[in-house]
Amino acid sequence: MSFNFEKLDVYHKAIEFIDYVYSVTSNYPKEEMFGLTSQLKRAAVSISLNIAEGSARTKKDFRRFLDMARGSVFECVTILQISKKRKLIDLVKFTELQEKLVEISKMLSGLKKSLTAKTMNNEQ
């Protein structure tokens, strides 16, 4: 048995992203444990949590949760920019993570559009 959200590619991409974040932040200094490290992990986890939670709601609510997931994507982007500026990650790792976030963001937008189209078709 599986849940509907587990069938979504974007959900799996978000779960993979969490693994990358945990791997990258393991190299952050200890003094960042309760700062950027914690914030980046929470934001990364929030992406998949919002997808999962929203999938159990109405289409309208699901779209709102997808917006919150995108907000968490943007939060991750900002934290990664700060991390790069503070030299906690190098340009290669930053670019790799940024590309994953761009992909997830596009997938979330696409899913939201498909939900909107389905809702509009059902209303006609």
Side-chain angles (χ1 to χ4, degrees):
M1 182 179 156
S2 67
F3 295 96
N4 284 337
F5 66 86
E6 293 177 298
K7 298 173 187 164
L8 297 171
D9 289 338
V10 67
Y11 172 77
H12 292 282
K13 292 284 184 187
I15 293 292
E16 288 174 20
F17 181 73
I18 294 165
D19 281 340
Y20 291 119
V21 164
Y22 271 74
S23 175
V24 167
T25 56
S26 68
N27 296 322
Y28 279 31
K30 293 248 188 269
E31 62 266 14
E32 285 297 339
M33 186 181 306
F34 300 108
L36 290 176
T37 302
S38 175
Q39 190 70 27
L40 182 54
K41 287 179 179 178
R42 283 195 317 259
V45 169
S46 179
I47 299 167
S48 58
L49 291 178
N50 278 299
I51 295 167
E53 185 175 354
S55 71
R57 309 288 181 112
T58 65
K59 284 186 173 73
K60 180 181 178 183
D61 282 345
F62 193 13
R63 289 192 303 268
R64 190 171 51 82
F65 275 86
L66 293 175
D67 285 337
M68 288 188 282
R70 283 191 73 226
S72 294
V73 166
F74 301 152
E75 189 176 347
C76 287
V77 169
T78 303
I79 296 165
L80 289 170
Q81 289 173 346
I82 294 166
S83 297
K84 182 181 70 149
K85 187 172 179 75
R86 305 219 15 100
K87 298 185 179 17
L88 300 174
I89 57 172
D90 62 27
L91 182 60
V92 172
K93 194 58 74 177
F94 170 81
T95 303
E96 181 182 309
L97 291 165
Q98 178 107 352
E99 287 171 358
K100 291 178 187 315
L101 288 167
V102 167
E103 180 182 22
I104 291 169
S105 181
K106 287 179 180 180
M107 292 174 83
L108 289 167
S109 292
L111 179 55
K112 183 180 175 188
K113 284 179 188 172
S114 76
L115 290 171
T116 302
K118 286 179 185 177
T119 301
M120 293 177 92
N121 288 337
N122 287 343
E123 291 173 356
Q124 295 176 350

